[in-house]
Amino acid sequence: KDMLFRIVFWGIIVFLIAIYFAGYEPSRGQIVTYDSLIGIIINVILIGFMIWLWFGTGYTLEDGLIRIQSGPFRKKVPVKEIQKIRKTKNPFSAPALSMDRIEITYGHYEVVLISPEHEAEFIQALLAENERIELDSILAEKIRSKKTW
């Protein structure tokens, strides 16, 4: 979880909560206002969803699968099907709470972006199960410098 994501996630949550303390009158013609029941329900759902994503994003490696969870979203990646792992800063949507990500290519042209906290150890665990995984030069150097097995 990097600082950019902390600022964005918690900034939005604080903003949505602050709307109710500011108490300004919304412009005319606005359908959902800050003090309407529908507005409150929408904000509570949105805040709950963001908190779920923040605290519910993680990756586990068990039974030959990477189990990826990001709030209500779940995905399984068979380790034996992983072909390539590379470093990326791809900003597109992914079950990752950091811009420092790894891109995993597996199966038939399937890709998933994740950001494990202990990246080198995570990749070493993957390599222990599938030694055919190709690493880009940045990751290969990082793994060589932290080799523990």
Side-chain angles (χ1 to χ4, degrees), residues 59-72:
Y59 325 102
T60 56
L61 181 59
E62 60 187 23
D63 302 326
L65 296 170
I66 303 173
R67 297 180 191 278
I68 301 168
Q69 182 174 342
S70 184

Side-chain angles (χ1 to χ4, degrees), residues 40-111:
I40 291 170
I41 291 170
I42 289 171
N43 273 345
V44 167
I45 289 171
L46 184 56
I47 291 168
F49 180 72
M50 291 187 71
I51 289 172
W52 190 7
L53 285 176
W54 186 260
F55 291 107
T57 296
Y59 325 102
T60 56
L61 181 59
E62 60 187 23
D63 302 326
L65 296 170
I66 303 173
R67 297 180 191 278
I68 301 168
Q69 182 174 342
S70 184
F73 309 108
R74 289 173 173 68
K75 185 175 193 101
K76 295 177 185 174
V77 175
V79 176
K80 293 293 183 191
E81 291 184 17
I82 296 174
Q83 295 135 14
K84 185 176 182 179
I85 301 176
R86 72 179 188 97
K87 291 289 288 178
T88 184
K89 298 237 184 237
N90 187 332
F92 292 108
S93 180
L97 296 174
S98 172
M99 288 301 294
D100 187 25
R101 301 170 175 188
I102 57 174
E103 178 184 277
I104 299 175
T105 305
Y106 67 100
H108 296 288
Y109 308 108
E110 294 187 68
V111 175

Side-chain angles (χ1 to χ4, degrees), residues 12-22 43 47:
I12 291 171
I13 290 170
V14 168
F15 173 76
L16 291 173
I17 292 170
I19 287 172
Y20 292 95
F21 291 107
N43 273 345
I47 291 168

